[in-house]
Structure formats: structure tokens, C-alpha cells
Amino acid sequence: QVQLVESGGGLVQPGGSLRLSCAASGSIFSMYVMYWYRQAPGKQRELVASITSSGSTNYPDSVKGRFTISRDAAKNTLYLQMNSLKPEDTAVYLCAGRRNYGDDRYWGQGTQVTVSS
């Protein structure tokens, strides 16, 4: 069972930057697809970034060019660099992982990001 723990959330002004971290319980990146999701109250959970075990990344248009997903295998840590933040980016951000060719996702508990003046 993979455990994921997010950190790095907080309050930031519009236009600011924040880097989220997701610490994994083991060396999983060579075998897992990793994701960042976000969920705001009353809204559907939204995928904001993914990275495959081979390093391919994907982003929706809402964050493309502003967010960057990356990983540090030596630290077993996934990152989400968020730049040019907007109030609509406010949400709980969660990391998740899925084993290659698997169906189940492993979820962290989330970290709150608030973008406000």
C-alpha cells in the first residue's frame, strides 16, 4: 500500500507562486503514473497535472503554461510548481498515484491552496 503525503499549501496573492510536494512511501516513480488533482467546495475534482513513469506530462488548458509537475526519484517526492496563480486556483490539492497498467489510485489527504488578495 502506497502512502502519499502532501505539503506546501498556503495563502498566496494572485500572480504569486507556490510549490507543492507529495512524499511517497517508497521508490514508486518507475512503476507509477503520478497525478495532481484539485477540488474546491461544491466543484468536481479536477485533474491538473500528470506524469508517467517515462516522464511524459499532461495538463489541462486551465493550468497549462502556469503549472509544472515534476518528481525527484532520489527523494521519492512529487512536486507541483504553480506560477501566476489566480483566485480560481483556490482548492485542496491532492496527489495520487496509479501503478502502470493498474486501475486503483492511491491518494494523499490534500493540502489547501488559497489565492487571494
Side-chain angles (χ1 to χ4, degrees), residues 6-12 18-21 36-41 82 85-95 108-116:
E6 302 95 335
S7 62
L11 176 64
V12 63
L18 208 59
R19 189 176 77 160
L20 307 182
S21 298
W36 283 101
Y37 287 82
R38 68 186 181 189
Q39 188 165 29
M82 303 184 294
L85 283 162
K86 306 173 181 179
E88 52 262 44
D89 295 321
T90 295
V92 173
Y93 283 72
L94 306 99
C95 67
Q109 291 184 316
T111 185
Q112 176 70 46
V113 172
T114 302
V115 185
S116 176

Side-chain angles (χ1 to χ4, degrees), residues 1-81:
Q1 182 74 27
V2 173
Q3 295 185 72
L4 303 170
V5 180
E6 302 95 335
S7 62
L11 176 64
V12 63
Q13 294 184 358
S17 297
L18 208 59
R19 189 176 77 160
L20 307 182
S21 298
C22 173
S25 58
S27 301
I28 66 170
F29 296 148
S30 65
M31 300 178 289
Y32 278 71
V33 182
M34 301 301 298
Y35 309 87
W36 283 101
Y37 287 82
R38 68 186 181 189
Q39 188 165 29
K43 296 181 64 179
Q44 189 88 3
R45 182 169 292 177
E46 176 189 19
L47 178 67
V48 297
S50 65
I51 184 167
T52 70
S53 57
S54 61
S56 296
T57 60
N58 283 103
Y59 309 90
D61 289 342
S62 59
V63 308
K64 192 172 296 182
R66 301 188 298 119
F67 289 13
T68 303
I69 189 171
S70 63
R71 63 193 181 205
D72 185 336
K75 297 181 178 180
N76 298 326
T77 301
L78 180 76
Y79 300 100
L80 183 67
Q81 179 67 47

